Each structure stands twice: as structure tokens, then as C-alpha cells.
Amino acid sequence: MNAIHARAAGASPPSLSIAIAGSGGSGVMTAGAMLLDAAARSGRYGLMVRTSGPQIRGGEAAALLRLAEQPVGALDDRFDLLIAMDWQNLHRFADEIPLGAASLVVGDGDEGEPPAVFLADGARAALLSLKQIARAIPGAWVNMVTLGLAGALAGLPRAALEAAFRASWKRDGAGLDANLRALDAGIEAAAGIAGMSRLAPAPQRSAARAGNAAAGRWLVSGNEAAGYGAIRAGVRFVAAYPITPATELLEWLAPALTKVGGTLVQAEDELASINMAIGASYGGVPSLTATSGPGLALMTEALGLAVASEVPVVVVDVMRGGPSTGIPAKSEQSDLSFAVGGLPGDAPRLVLAPTSIADCLATTQWAVHLAEALQAPAIVLSDQFMGQARAIIDRPEDPGFFAERLTADESTPDYQRYRDTPSGVSPMAIPGTAGVTYTADGLEHSESGTPSSQARDHRLQLAKRERKLAQHDYGTWWADVEGDGDAAVVTFGSVTGAVREAIARVGARGPKLRLIALRLLAPALPEAMAAALDGVRRVIVVEQNHGAQLYRWLRAMHDLPGKPASFHRPGPLPLRPGELAEALLDWHGARSSAASARTRSGQRTTETMQ
Amino acid sequence: MSAAAVAAPTLTQVMAQALAIERAAVERYNALADVMEVHNNRPVTELFRKLAAIETQHVQQILAHMGWKSVATAPTVWGLLDGPESVPEEHVHYLMWPWHALQLALGAEERAEAFFARLAETAADEAARRAALELRDEERVHVALVKAWLERTPEPGTDWADDPDPPRYTD
Amino acid sequence: MTETLCPPAARTPADYKSATKPVWCPGCGDFTVLASLTRALAALQLPPHEVAVVSGIGCSSRIPAYTACYGFHGVHGRALAAATGLKVARPDLTVVVTGGDGDGYSIGGNHFLHACRRNVDLTYIVMDNHVYGMTKGQASPTTEPDWDSKLSPGGTGVRSFHPLVIALASGATFIARGYSGDPGGTADIIAQAIRHPGFAFVEILSPCVTFRPEQRNWKQQVRPASVDRTDDAARAARRIMTDDGFNIGVLYCAERTQYPLRRERVGGAVAALESEFVL
């Protein structure tokens, strides 16, 4: 067995990956959420993503979890355990639930045999009459049996499972008891199943709520974290138009904004939402909207207006499979090219990307700060994976970024809104301030804001708008640079977690790779990148899209050492640490310049360009 | 749709109305001069500026006559946007000739004359009535002046509005 | 408008005009609309720096820079959206939205519907000249179906848009029509519209001398509305549905809860929001 994947049977694994699946009201999502919560209560870390069919309700669904002692940044190469309450249409998720010889598949015997695809890699099957067990307890739900089973197989204490269930129970007392009995039935059933590696006993980190609070751990999704980051930076106006997978970000902001004195307006379309946000920002209030690829496309004209009229605004693009309507409920990193280059005219703008669920908070907070400081639009490239996954994380430190806009004082003599300044940033008059009224304009303009078609004015304003972004001091936040090897892996966004884990696995085999996880994608920072690449002789760019968008952007904007390589694959499937580690080893070890492509049965084709 | 005159105006009100009319005329002629200047019609720009200057003199005359120090301290009358001396916007054209502008001015003066004549009929007292009649006579003089001015101003031919160039796109 | 003597006002209409000279064609109705707007603002004595004029793209959308107020010259058709964001974020400002019939009823049509629904305290002034003037004369939504143009030879053949009907059906609470040839009346309507608590829609017939010179005869066609305004939507609907497009005045004025509903701002602590994440 490949050393990268092997775990000694019986030894406590570093992490445990569990998939819970079913359909038609079996309560898959709830079970998954409770399992994650239980892990949190018992002092573990974890990550949960969800996948489902297109039906609004009753469709096939799976909750995909990875639990560990340390914070989890990516899904593992395969699942250790798949519990399926039924098999309806579940073969659709076969690609998303990779299994191996060490995996265990538990199915309900009354629901038929597990589809062949789940057993093709040698996984072991066990059959339990989950639904019968549940039916034997009046008022009990089958997903509670599943929860008990999964929790016990994972080594989670009963107390944590019960506490998670009680916290989620919103109905009357009668069902409570029945479901606790179902939980116990599931735990009991686990005893009859051997050969499952369990998580190590709970660490010293206390399972009590007080302990968690003291340790400062959160259970949060990327969308929620981004919303909180926005508010923490000072956003007090949000315009919202729902779109998968950004809707929850907006829904989280609605009550949150009210609590801090802000407002959220539901717009009639994305054209309205971006223009509302710009209007509110023109009025001096830090503003934001969130969307996905198709919505961002609708917002482009207004983003150009924000560039030209120098009005700050932040748009969170929770990327999904593209192009066009694409794959709404799946993750991909394919809006990068559009975000960094997709505006008519020479229109410099800020593009940022959080590197993890936790980082959604700090990066959104930073994006607001930058947009306000530089009076420009900022696009935050989150994605469906980070946005909708829930993770147990250490309480993130507050990076301390706030909206601090340079504004004009009342009655400034000879005030010119778009006055050329060394930094490129000119004080902005806020409506209500006497003596400095002006008209903001998308038309090119003179320094006073009067529309102008003169060459001198156009050159001056173009240079001003470019300079204010290019010459800003972004400090060390623009990228996470880890390690000092002479071979570097460059990546961004949600892929960072898998890359980091792959680099660690590779490191265990010898080669020490440097990681550069970009947080600021535009403007490009040639000097900072050159410093980050100091001593690097070869670079590979890893990303989740078909067009190698980051690879092309970096090659366009920077002098990269050696012959830069690219590992890219579009969604909907996540990039996993194991396959990345193999690809990095291949790339690092290869001495010839021949291109190589490998396929393995049951795995996806990787593309490695040299 | 013109503004109704104040019913039974006193002397002060009559003079305040006259002041407002003249001030509106100054503003109007200056605005028209601006429009013509933007559209590169120098002769008419100069004409409107001249008319604005003349009306400014009238303003000064009224202030002096009433002992009002400045327009800022003089009584104000509202609502005469479309008063008698206002020029209907639709009768200006970027290619108009000074002759056209004087026709507009003539119409304004004639309307003003009629306005003060009506005002005299409803005046509150003799002083007001006499003031209104004086103003009417003043306007009559202006009418004659403009007519004389027209006599020595060339009349445009029928092709005055011809422009070989089509309208342009701007933004 | 009162004709009585008043003490010297702090601000005159001239105080609401900027030094920028309009580039509109001589004879354009928008000149008097600008005069009416400044007259209305002066009548209300609003400090110019507390007024924002928001516009889209088109000849009439040039108006913000010609005022001494704060201005926002946005993109085509989105003025109502930008104005909504501005007013909701800054309820202390007086926000006036301006534009033409193309900007407002074609590309802006969707935002028009929802602005009427929302009833944010805005004043929306549309200078309707039944044409796209800035792009050299194409039919607009309010153009007659048989009006010949290069883009639609022989006419579009499409029934014209009836903005007042749409506004009423969508929930606007103040609906009026003005005419640029009646500056005093228009100023009065605009002042009332600004004072109206909620979304006020004022459509002003404003002739385009360059592309629709025949609109000079609007002067003979407009008339004051023969009936007083109503606050009864059904009655207003009957009148507006049979309106020939030339009745001038405030046709409908009613009261409805403004948006947003909650006016009080709660000043909660940001850090308190974290508690829902804490395990």
C-alpha cells in the first residue's frame, strides 16, 4: 500500500472521515451536524460538507465529515466509514465518497445491497437494520440510530452525542426520550462492528462549554465567518439578492446587521444590489453584497462605476462551478480570471481570496479595510466549499482591520474630489458635509469631477487609480509564505488546506516544499512575490479550475523562476491531499522535461504540465 | 399658467414684484447667454449679455428708487418663475440670430407692460396704482427701444436653421 | 406658490445651481426642469449639502452636476437602485432621483417597479421626451408606436409604456405629471413631491427640440387636470388608465408605510455576534 495513504491497522488515526447518506426525510444533514457538534463538545476538531441531489426536499443527500485532534483544513483522500440509511440514487455521490480497502460501508440490510461502485475498491460491508431498529422505538428517527452508530464507531463519548442531540432538539419532550433511546440503540449496534479505527480519547482540552469558550473554539461556516468579518470591519449596509451558494452569507447578515445598527435591503436583482451598495457607500457607509459567478457577471458594469467614481464597495463572490449557470451547488475556483481582468476599460480593482473557512473572517475584514482606504471595489473570492462547509476552528485572532476612509473636511478651500495625490488617494466628500459638494461620475473626469474627454485628464486619472492600488503597503497579509525550500507551491483559496497537508506528507518523505498561499490576487505585487520566491528555482501552481487561471495570471504578472508548472482540475470534486502529494512528488522528482499524465482506476485524471 | 398677481398690492408690493421681475430677467438672459456660449453662437451670446446688463440697470434703478440697499435686503416675492418677462425656452435655437433673440425680448417687454397695466387696476391705493402705471410706461419705453433695435438688426433668411452636420453622439 | 412678501430668504434658487453650464441643446425642456428643481429646493430651504441628486445616463441625467447639491451620476438605468441604497444608509439626506424615459422605463424598468413597491422616501423625476436623445433619436418606451426612426423604420409597432399606470399599480404613493413649459407649476409639484413621505413619482413632459421638434405643440395639448387629486387607488386607476398623457398636476397622493420599517438604530456590540459561533 502506498506509504502516503497507509495507516497501521489498530493505531489511532490522525483523522477519521465519516460519510452519512440517505434520502427522503431520513435526516442526513441533521445527523451530520449533530455528529460534528458532538465532536466539538468532546474537544475534537472537524469539518463537514454536504452534498445532495437537485430536489428541494426528499432528495438523496450525504453529510461528509472529517474529525481529528487538530484543526482540519481539507477532506481526506478517502472515507473510513460510510453509513447509508438507504441507497436511493446514492451512486450519484460515488465520486464524492471515495473508499478504499480499509473503509467500512454500513448499510441497512432491508434497503438492498450496497451498489457495486462503493465496494469496488475493496471496502468492507456490514449490514444493520437501521430503520427496523428505529421503528421498534415509537417516535424515534432513524438518523438518531445512525448518529449513535457513527459516534460510537468514531470513539465519541455518549455524553457528547447526547448533548449535541439535546442542543438541536426543538420539539416537545415525548420525542426527546424516544430519540435518546434510538441513540443508545445505535451505540449498542456499533459494538458489534469490529475493525474500525477510532479517534484517540478526548484530549485534556475540556469538553465542557466553559472549557471551549475559554479555549476559544468556534463552530462556523465560511459564509458566516465572512459576514462577521464584514461587520467587524464596519460594514453597516448590505444589499442582497439570493444565489447559491452565497445566500446563507446574506441571511446571516440580515439579523446581525440589525443588531449593530445596520441595514440589509433585499434587492430585485444583482444589478440593483450592487448599485444599492455603491449608493450607500457614496453616502459614507461601508457597504457590501455577496453573490456567485452569474451574479458577479451582472455586477460588472457597476463595479466599473465604482472604479471610475472611486467609491469603495466589497463583493464577496462565493465561487461555484462555471461557466454560466454551471454547477450551482459545487465548488470551483474558476472566477479568478474574471475577477482580476473582467471589466471594460483599464479598471484596477482589489481581488482577495480567503485561504480557509477561518480565514474568511480576516480576509473579508481586510477587504473592507482596503476598499475603504483605497476607495475602490474589492472582490473577495470565497467558494462553495468554504462558504457552506462547517468547521470547528480555534477562535480566530482579530487582525484589527477597520474601515477608515479618507474624507474631506467641511469647507476645504478649493476642494477637488479627484485631486491627484502622491498616494493616488484623494479625500472623499461625504454627503452632508458643507462646502465640498461634488458629483461622482462614471464618466472620465478632471480633478474637480467635471466630465472630461481630454487626454491629460484621462491619463492622470488612470494613473491615479492604478497607483493608489499598486503602491499601497499591503504588509505581510498578501500571502502566507511557509517554508524555505527551493521548490515552491503557489495556490489560493480553499485548495490551500489540501496543499498544505500534501506538502506535509511530501515533507515526511524528504522534499521540503515552500508554500505560497496568496491572499491578495490583484493588484499583483511583483516585488513582494519576488521576495517570497527568493531562493526558489521551480514553481508549481495548484488550483481548482479547467483553465489554469492562476497559473496564467501569475505568468502574466510575474517573472517566475524555471519552467513554471501547473496542477489544475475543475470542480465539482475537491482536490485531495493524497493525489496532490503524489503530483508534487512527481513534479519535484522529475528530471526530464517530458509531460506526464497518470491515471489510476477509481481516481481522477490529474494534469501535470511541465 | 402664469403666476397670478398679488391681489390689491400696496406700493411696496408693486415695487417688490417689479424687482423680482427684473431680477428674474437678469437671471434668464444670463442663462440664455450661457447656453448660447456653450453652443458657440457668439452674436446671440453677446446680445443676451447686453440684455442682462440692461435689466441689471433696471434692478439698480428700482433699488435706488425705493431706497433698498441691495437685493439681499430688499423684500422678496416668490413664485414668478413664469412671470411676464420670462422667455419661453422652446423658442431658442443654437443657430438663432440676434433678430430672433430680440423678438423674444420684445415679447417679454410687451407681456411686462400688460402685467403692470393689470397690476395698476387692482392696486390697493393711489400710490401703488401710480407706481404700477409708471412701471407700465417704463415697459412701454422698453418695447419701443427693442422695436427700434430690431429695425437695425438684419432679419434671417428662411434657411437660418440649416446645419449640414447631423447631431452627434456624446455619451 | 405664495405671492406674499417674505423676509429675505437664506437661500435663493441660485444657491442650488452650480457654476457648470449645461450642455443641453438650447430649447431643451430640461433647462426649466432644472429651474423648477432649484426653485423647489429653495422653497423648502434645504441646505444644498444635505441634498443628493442621483441620476443614470442620458441628457436629463446630466442634471446633478448642474446643481450645487451632492450628485451621483451612475450607470444607465440604475439610478433608483443607487438612490435606494443611499437613502436607506443615510436617511438624513434628501434624495432626488432624476433621469429620462429611456433610462427610467426601459433598462431601468425593473428598478422602477420595485422602487414603487418599496416606498423608500425618494423623489423620482423623469424628464419624458418620448425619445432616446443622447444616442441620436431612437424610440423610447413612451414613444408612439408609429414614430419613424433609423433603428425602427416605420415605428416600433409596440404599444407605448404608461408610466403613471405602472407606478400606481406598483404602489407609488405620490403620482404627478408636470410640463416643462409650466415652470411654476412644476416647481410646486416638485416641492410637494419632496415633502411627501414615501416614494414620489413626478413625470415631467420635457420636449426634445432636436429629435422631436414637433413636441412644441405639447404646449397646446397640456391642460391642468380637471379633477382634484385623489387618495383612492381605484379612482386614481380609472383616471390614469383613461388619461391621454397631458393632464398636469398631482393625480394621486396617499400614505403608506415607508421602507425600511425599523427606523430606530440599535447600537449593539459587534463582539456579541460571536456568541452564536462559540462552542
Side-chain angles (χ1 to χ4, degrees), chain C residues 146-171:
Chain C
D146 57 354
W147 184 73
D148 185 50
S149 67
K150 279 194 207 144
L151 198 59
S152 302
T156 61
V158 180
R159 179 190 186 277
S160 60
F161 188 83
H162 293 179
L164 276 69
V165 175
I166 302 295
L168 181 67
S170 306

Side-chain angles (χ1 to χ4, degrees), chain A residues 32-335:
Chain A
M34 287 189 285
L35 186 63
L36 186 67
D37 191 16
R41 288 167 190 277
S42 71
R44 267 61 165 236
Y45 290 88
L47 172 70
M48 181 181 76
V49 303
R50 299 169 303 175
T51 187
S52 57
Q55 311 87 331
I56 303 282
R57 303 193 79 172
E60 58 280 9
L64 310 175
L65 292 90
R66 187 179 184 193
L67 310 177
E69 308 303 325
Q70 301 301 323
V72 174
L75 292 174
D76 207 345
D77 304 327
R78 52 187 52 80
F79 285 83
D80 300 290
L81 173 66
L82 164 61
I83 303 177
M85 291 180 270
D86 62 72
W87 294 108
Q88 312 253 47
N89 282 316
L90 237 54
H91 61 271
R92 287 193 186 151
F93 301 143
D95 279 348
E96 297 181 65
I97 310 179
L99 301 163
S103 306
L104 175 65
V105 175
V106 178
D108 192 326
D110 305 321
E111 297 288 327
E113 291 290 315
V117 66
F118 289 112
L119 303 175
D121 286 303
R124 234 176 358 121
L127 297 177
L128 271 177
S129 296
L130 297 165
K131 289 211 166 88
Q132 263 193 46
I133 294 172
R135 250 181 262 126
I137 307 165
W141 289 347
V142 64
N143 71 344
M144 287 306 299
V145 180
T146 305
L147 176 65
L149 178 64
L153 286 173
L156 298 182
R158 187 195 177 286
L161 292 165
E162 175 174 346
F165 163 65
R166 283 182 183 276
S168 79
W169 186 252
K170 306 263 188 291
R171 302 177 196 219
D172 60 61
L176 191 92
D177 292 325
N179 280 302
L180 280 173
R181 282 162 55 205
L183 181 74
D184 283 327
I187 293 172
E188 208 179 293
I193 297 178
M196 253 305 290
S197 297
R198 285 153 167 77
L199 290 171
Q204 284 310 104
R205 199 183 306 110
S206 162
R209 190 178 184 85
N212 268 324
R217 301 200 311 152
W218 288 3
L219 176 55
V220 70
S221 72
N223 276 343
E224 292 167 342
Y228 183 48
I231 288 187
R232 208 155 66 171
V235 165
R236 291 296 179 268
F237 180 87
V238 169
Y241 190 75
I243 184 172
T244 304
T247 308
E248 297 92 4
L249 197 164
L250 300 163
E251 287 177 335
W252 185 86
L253 278 169
L257 274 169
T258 307
K259 287 180 193 156
V260 297
T263 316
L264 181 141
V265 175
Q266 182 176 339
E268 54 269 28
D269 55 33
E270 288 90 345
L271 299 150
S273 58
I274 185 63
N275 278 281
M276 285 184 189
I278 292 172
S281 180
Y282 165 76
V285 177
S287 303
L288 172 145
T289 186
T291 188
S292 192
L296 187 66
L298 291 175
M299 295 181 183
T300 45
E301 188 193 23
L303 288 171
L305 173 66
V307 170
S309 60
E310 301 199 50
V311 175
V313 71
V314 176
V315 179
V316 181
D317 174 16
V318 188
M319 295 186 288
R320 68 197 215 176
S324 185
T325 313
I327 311 176
K330 293 295 177 216
S331 203
E332 196 170 76
Q333 294 184 314
S334 51
D335 292 348

Side-chain angles (χ1 to χ4, degrees), chain A residues 363-387:
Chain A
T363 296
T364 306
Q365 191 173 345
W366 191 38
V368 173
H369 165 77
L370 288 176
E372 291 282 320
L374 303 177
Q375 299 174 14
I379 301 171
V380 178
L381 294 177
S382 177
D383 62 32
Q384 183 272 333
F385 180 86
M386 292 187 293

Side-chain angles (χ1 to χ4, degrees), chain B residues 24-145:
Chain B
V26 172
E27 211 176 286
R28 184 63 34 68
Y29 285 133
N30 271 325
L32 287 167
D34 284 345
V35 177
M36 288 302 143
E37 189 174 36
V38 168
H39 288 82
N40 302 299
N41 186 329
R42 195 146 44 98
V44 175
T45 303
E46 286 170 0
L47 181 71
F48 279 133
R49 294 267 183 243
K50 244 183 240 171
L51 289 167
I54 290 168
E55 301 293 355
T56 305
Q57 282 178 349
H58 297 165
V59 168
Q60 297 304 325
Q61 282 162 12
I62 294 174
L63 287 175
H65 182 79
M66 294 300 290
W68 293 330
K69 286 217 180 57
S70 70
V71 296
T73 54
T76 317
V77 177
W78 287 84
L80 288 181
L81 252 183
D82 45 355
E85 288 219 20
S86 67
V87 168
E89 291 288 345
E90 65 268 22
H91 290 148
V92 296
H93 190 286
Y94 71 106
L95 289 177
M96 69 195 292
W97 285 37
W99 186 88
H100 293 114
L102 286 171
Q103 290 288 352
L104 296 176
L106 178 62
E109 300 295 342
E110 285 171 341
R111 281 191 298 280
E113 179 190 339
F115 176 82
F116 286 117
R118 277 198 311 277
L119 208 60
E121 288 164 18
T122 65
D125 52 41
E126 186 53 30
R129 197 183 78 89
R130 234 170 314 128
L133 287 175
E134 273 175 35
L135 289 163
R136 179 205 63 187
D137 294 342
E138 272 288 324
E139 299 297 348
R140 204 170 275 171
V141 170
H142 298 165
V143 166
L145 284 171

